[in-house]
Amino acid sequence: MDDKTLAEALVKKSLLLPETAQKLMTEAAQVRQPMENLIYGRRLINEAEVAKVKSEILGIPYKQVDFDKIPDDALKLVPGETAQTYRVVPLARDEKMLVVGMINPQDVRAQEALRFIAKQNRVSLGVYIITPSDLELILQRYHPYQSEIQSALRSLNIKPGAGLTEAERIVQIEEMAAVAEDAPIIKIVASTLRSAVEENASDIHIEPQRARLRIRFRVDGDLKEVTSLPLELHQPVISRVKVLSNLKIDENRIPQDGRFRTLVFGRDIDFRVSTFPTPVGEKVAIRVLDPTVGLKGVDNLGLSSHNAALVSTALARPYGMILVSGPTGSGKTTTLYALLQVLNKETVNVVSLEDPVEYFVDGLNQSQVRPEIGYDFASGLRQVVRQDPDVIMVGEIRDTETAKLAIQAALTGQIVLSTLHTNNSVGVIPRLIDMGVEPFLLPSSLNLMVSQRLVRRLCNSCKKPEAAPQDVQEIIENELNKLPADVKKGLSYKKPYQIYRAPGCPVCKGKGTIGRVAMFEVLAMTRELEDIIASGVSEGKIVDEAKRQGMITLRQDGILKALEGVVGVEEVLRESTES
């Protein structure tokens, strides 16, 4: 089944817009991945709907998995490595037949492996199409994280450290460091990395406490503890991570930064490592950089049609600056990468300055700044303008010098993309002026100001509508009344307004949410805004101009997403302020 056949079927069933399908096929060809992977990775369509469409095309039935009915003896017929490698899992068995679930039944290598298993066990084969989420949940029965950790700990035969003095404990840790390459330690670290990718964690925290080693994952913005290890394993585990990321094992007095890349579940994953000395030992934070999760197209960011039109207009201009603002961890870099993918063409020279480079993208000339040796954003920008750039991406405007150089680059014919720390889009212009940028330069150089926040996306499999409480009804009505007239025309929501809640299910692992989506507000440079800058900037005047433009605020954008069932309204209200 080729991408075109699947795309046409999804468009025919109104699951994809024709233009989105075309962009996905083009992008899939560029990154050399099946279009289906992009759809799943970006959660554009409910997995079950895609599976049903594939079922119709291939003539193979789709099955929603009942996890409680998969017998252990069926799992034994398909080895874990085979299941993982060929993306095939057993669903049921009897004396004459083995029933399996597959993502891609046309995979010739997987078919050969199954025929071998069937012949070896003298059974016939039955095949169903299943969703990637169901497959991953079954795979966890082969490699449950906690059981792997406990197995590795048992093989080490570590005795509890109760009663040891601090001096004795340090000596023991140093002794353990000598065997950091032993298989159990390697298995603990590898299982941790694999489990983090399975759970779509953005970060792994390996933290020494007074009496234990704590490992936490950040999933959908929240940290949760996943396991606890004996403190005696602190040094070996940290050393193993340092070996992987090529850091100095014997240096634990100062922070170190490194990274490594490896294949996890057939995906090329980057891990960015940062060590940090604490009184009880080194803490390690590992950023999990999964391109299938972190690299998105503009269509998949969550921009409303109103905001998407403003962004498209700004990207089409031959020069000028687009600034994305928001707090740390609000998805600004993801938005920048999405905008860069639109501008990344063979005829265009795109140069980026990043700290650090998060994702390696073909076609971009990416450079990592190193302030410790004097190569910062400002000095890098001076060099970038000598590289004949058409598009410049600056990871963050942190100081006056970088701000002025970025403005100059935008004035001299380049498109400049960057981020800035402000609470909203209205605060971008006052912030630049506070940083020392001459106000009269802004109208000619600044095209667009975007602000964003991340909120958790509700699980499509278990979300259910319900009437909003009375106080929330009033907030929703108040914000909808403030929307621009052209936006309100296309809305059909009526009182009592319905919101959505997700209690949790096997697909979302009981959380009720899968991934996150951004709320946006987009403010464009206009003649009226130029007059405000010339007459003396104040946030109040800019707010009035934003209302005149018909800007959709962060809260309004979030409420529209809540009414559509994309996010929960409580989180929207918590993450945004009244307009």
Side-chain angles (χ1 to χ4, degrees):
M1 180 182 64
D2 58 23
D3 285 349
K4 186 176 180 182
T5 303
L6 178 61
E8 288 174 348
L10 292 172
V11 169
K12 187 175 180 180
K13 288 188 174 292
S14 301
L15 295 171
L16 271 184
L17 294 172
E19 55 269 27
T20 304
Q22 186 58 51
K23 287 180 180 177
L24 284 170
M25 284 193 290
T26 303
E27 189 177 344
Q30 290 173 345
V31 298
R32 297 180 181 177
Q33 284 191 38
M35 183 186 72
E36 184 180 347
N37 288 2
L38 301 182
I39 293 173
Y40 288 142
R42 296 169 185 175
R43 301 180 180 89
L44 298 178
I45 307 171
N46 185 290
E47 290 181 347
E49 296 297 332
V50 178
K52 289 173 185 176
V53 171
K54 286 170 59 182
S55 173
E56 292 179 12
I57 295 171
L58 299 175
I60 297 172
Y62 157 71
K63 184 177 182 65
Q64 186 174 2
V65 177
D66 188 342
F67 301 93
D68 296 329
K69 292 185 178 179
I70 300 175
D72 290 336
D73 61 339
L75 292 172
K76 292 175 183 176
L77 285 185
V78 181
E81 289 184 6
T82 301
Q84 185 65 66
T85 302
Y86 300 109
R87 314 296 284 166
V88 52
V89 288
L91 301 179
R93 71 157 295 182
D94 57 30
E95 293 180 358
K96 297 182 180 180
M97 178 174 285
L98 170 65
V99 179
V100 299
M102 302 179 73
I103 302 295
N104 182 14
Q106 292 179 301
D107 186 338
V108 175
R109 292 169 64 238
Q111 291 172 3
E112 290 174 355
L114 284 173
R115 279 196 291 268
F116 175 81
I117 291 171
K119 184 177 180 181
Q120 194 177 43
N121 292 277
R122 298 178 182 177
V123 293
S124 57
L125 284 171
V127 177
Y128 284 99
I129 290 176
I130 62 173
T131 65
S133 293
D134 284 352
L135 181 135
E136 292 295 343
L137 285 170
I138 298 170
L139 286 176
Q140 286 180 26
R141 290 183 60 176
Y142 285 101
H143 301 292
Y145 178 56
Q146 290 287 357
S147 65
E148 286 190 354
I149 294 293
Q150 294 306 319
S151 174
L153 290 176
R154 284 195 297 271
S155 67
L156 282 170
N157 195 27
I158 292 179
K159 296 178 181 179
L164 291 178
T165 65
E166 285 299 314
E168 288 171 326
R169 187 183 297 275
I170 290 171
V171 170
Q172 192 169 352
I173 289 174
E174 289 174 351
E175 289 171 357
M176 286 302 298
V179 294
E181 288 294 328
D182 277 1
I185 298 299
I186 293 173
K187 190 170 185 179
I188 287 173
V189 174
S191 297
T192 301
L193 298 176
R194 184 169 58 245
S195 182
V197 174
E198 273 182 349
E199 295 197 29
N200 289 326
S202 61
D203 299 88
I204 305 166
H205 290 253
I206 304 174
E207 304 164 314
Q209 307 295 295
R210 293 181 65 182
R212 64 191 179 107
L213 180 65
R214 178 174 68 175
I215 297 180
R216 295 192 290 173
F217 292 169
R218 188 180 294 279
V219 180
D220 295 342
D222 294 329
L223 278 169
K224 65 170 185 175
E225 184 170 330
V226 292
T227 195
S228 179
L229 305 176
L231 191 57
E232 290 86 349
L233 289 189
H234 168 245
Q235 194 60 51
V237 168
I238 298 297
S239 294
R240 176 60 183 163
V241 173
K242 284 184 172 182
V243 167
L244 287 171
S245 47
N246 200 26
L247 299 179
K248 295 177 181 178
I249 295 176
D250 58 347
E251 178 57 82
N252 54 23
R253 300 164 299 172
I254 59 174
Q256 296 184 71
D257 292 315
R259 68 190 303 158
F260 62 95
R261 179 184 294 185
T262 187
L263 282 174
V264 181
F265 306 134
R267 281 144 53 193
D268 199 355
I269 310 292
D270 267 312
F271 294 94
R272 198 175 77 215
V273 178
S274 173
T275 70
F276 185 74
T278 75
V280 290
E282 280 183 291
K283 173 190 185 298
V284 168
I286 305 174
R287 173 64 57 87
V288 183
L289 299 169
D290 184 349
T292 62
V293 176
L295 285 179
K296 298 182 178 180
V298 172
D299 293 342
N300 312 121
L301 290 175
L303 287 163
S304 66
S305 56
H306 177 87
N307 288 336
L310 291 171
V311 171
S312 296
T313 300
L315 288 174
R317 292 183 178 176
Y319 62 87
M321 183 182 288
I322 298 174
L323 285 180
V324 183
S325 71
T328 302
S330 59
K332 300 187 295 297
T333 303
T334 298
T335 298
L336 286 187
Y337 275 112
L339 300 181
L340 282 177
Q341 288 184 64
V342 175
L343 300 168
N344 184 17
K345 300 172 184 174
E346 186 180 347
T347 56
V348 174
N349 180 23
V350 183
V351 185
S352 75
L353 291 170
E354 304 176 51
D355 185 20
V357 174
E358 292 206 0
Y359 298 100
F360 296 101
V361 181
D362 286 342
L364 303 187
N365 299 294
Q366 297 169 274
S367 181
Q368 179 167 326
V369 299
R370 299 189 179 277
E372 67 274 13
I373 59 172
Y375 180 46
D376 55 16
F377 284 124
S379 60
L381 257 176
R382 290 195 193 91
Q383 297 302 319
V384 164
V385 295
R386 297 172 189 162
Q387 289 287 318
D388 184 32
D390 299 294
V391 179
I392 300 172
M393 192 267 264
V394 182
E396 183 183 343
I397 293 178
R398 298 174 178 170
D399 53 52
T400 297
E401 190 175 10
T402 306
K404 289 182 175 179
L405 287 167
I407 292 288
Q408 288 299 324
L411 287 170
T412 52
Q414 283 88 38
I415 295 175
V416 179
L417 308 177
S418 191
T419 68
L420 194 68
H421 281 287
T422 65
N423 290 328
N424 49 38
S425 57
V426 169
V428 169
I429 290 174
R431 174 69 178 138
L432 289 172
I433 294 173
D434 286 344
M435 295 178 81
V437 175
E438 295 290 349
F440 70 88
L441 296 175
L442 292 174
S444 305
S445 58
L446 187 57
N447 289 344
L448 203 69
M449 293 142 277
V450 180
S451 183
Q452 65 182 79
R453 297 285 190 284
L454 286 178
V455 287
R456 286 170 292 186
R457 186 191 294 268
L458 293 177
C459 172
N460 282 328
S461 298
C462 62
K463 68 181 181 185
K464 297 176 182 177
E466 62 177 48
Q470 185 56 41
D471 56 336
V472 176
Q473 295 270 355
E474 293 171 3
I475 293 171
I476 291 173
E477 184 170 23
N478 182 42
E479 294 297 336
L480 291 182
N481 288 336
K482 295 178 187 176
L483 285 169
D486 60 325
V487 175
K488 280 196 284 190
K489 282 180 184 176
L491 301 181
S492 57
Y493 305 115
K494 297 179 180 178
K495 294 184 72 175
Y497 299 112
Q498 281 196 328
I499 58 173
Y500 290 76
R501 294 189 192 278
C505 66
V507 173
C508 60
K509 300 177 184 176
K511 296 184 299 181
T513 58
I514 299 179
R516 290 185 291 176
V517 66
M519 305 184 293
F520 289 96
E521 63 180 28
V522 181
L523 179 64
M525 181 60 69
T526 58
R527 285 185 177 276
E528 291 78 6
L529 190 50
E530 183 177 347
D531 292 340
I532 290 170
I533 294 171
S535 63
V537 170
S538 72
E539 283 207 16
K541 292 180 181 178
I542 299 176
V543 168
D544 292 340
E545 165 57 15
K547 290 179 179 177
R548 189 203 65 78
Q549 281 187 29
M551 183 185 81
I552 299 175
T553 66
L554 286 169
R555 173 168 280 205
Q556 289 167 346
D557 190 46
I559 284 175
L560 289 175
K561 287 181 168 71
L563 292 171
E564 292 166 8
V566 178
V567 299
V569 72
E570 292 86 356
E571 190 172 8
V572 168
L573 300 180
R574 187 169 62 248
E575 293 292 331
S576 61
T577 55
E578 290 186 44
S579 54

